[in-house]
Amino acid sequence: MDPAKLAKLQAAAAANRIGGKGTVRRKIVRKTKPSGAQDDKKLQGALKKLNVQPIPGVEEVNMFREDGNVLHFTAPKVHAAISANTFAIYGTGHVKELTELVPGILNQLGPDSLASLRKLAESYQAIQQGQQRQQGGDAAEEDDDDVPDLVENFDVDADAKASLD
């Protein structure tokens, strides 16, 4: 065998060795990936220790945040341990603004949220009025063009019909 080629192979073998003498040579060091399923198993085990029970028939869950937004879950899986005051909610949550969910969540709002909703409604009305004022002159002229003018006197016709009867 060629001594230059042998030296090159020995150098490559020494570069790939991870451990000491007698260990298996590996070219790639594989790192273990933490899987989501492993975390889910740990969570399930912790919830079993708390003796949680599933709550069927929950259509939606809304969590009101301090910044005024709402964390909204549609058709979540809900488990609860009433004795431990623990609730687990599974599903995809979306952060939405309070205005997006207003008609359906009015009965869920507390006094703090109602106050913020009232302020939000007042600011929305102010914005609407500001837009109407800007378009007020233009809209009034357009409305006059759309409505036809009265040509006849309807009161006279009504009196004439009343006298005939």
Side-chain angles (χ1 to χ4, degrees):
M1 184 167 212
D2 186 24
K5 191 173 185 181
L6 181 63
K8 187 177 177 184
L9 286 173
Q10 286 175 346
N16 287 336
R17 181 170 286 198
I18 294 172
K21 183 178 179 183
T23 58
V24 179
R25 293 185 182 129
R26 295 190 182 125
K27 293 184 180 180
I28 299 173
V29 178
R30 300 194 186 267
K31 296 181 180 177
T32 58
K33 297 179 183 176
S35 65
Q38 194 174 30
D39 292 338
D40 194 37
K41 286 181 184 178
K42 288 181 181 178
L43 179 65
Q44 292 292 339
L47 290 175
K48 269 189 182 176
K49 288 179 185 177
L50 292 173
N51 196 19
V52 296
Q53 299 297 321
I55 299 176
V58 177
E59 296 176 5
E60 69 176 5
V61 173
N62 294 315
M63 294 183 184
F64 298 95
R65 296 170 42 172
E66 289 184 9
D67 62 356
N69 291 333
V70 178
L71 184 58
H72 179 75
F73 293 89
T74 305
K77 296 178 185 176
V78 179
H79 291 80
I82 304 299
S83 60
N85 196 20
T86 303
F87 294 88
I89 301 168
Y90 301 90
T92 55
H94 301 286
V95 177
K96 296 187 177 183
E97 292 199 21
L98 191 60
T99 55
E100 295 178 41
L101 303 169
V102 165
I105 63 169
L106 285 177
N107 58 351
Q108 300 172 7
L109 296 175
D112 297 338
S113 298
L114 282 175
S116 65
L117 182 64
R118 192 172 295 127
K119 289 178 186 175
L120 187 65
E122 289 171 359
S123 66
Y124 183 72
Q125 287 176 350
I127 292 170
Q128 290 290 350
Q129 289 174 354
Q131 289 177 352
Q132 288 176 356
R133 288 179 191 152
Q134 290 176 354
Q135 298 174 354
D138 299 337
E141 293 173 6
E142 291 174 8
D143 290 343
D144 290 341
D145 293 340
D146 294 340
V147 178
D149 295 330
L150 292 176
V151 178
E152 301 174 27
N153 189 353
F154 292 105
D155 292 335
V156 173
D157 290 338
D159 292 340
K161 287 181 182 177
S163 63
L164 291 176
D165 291 333

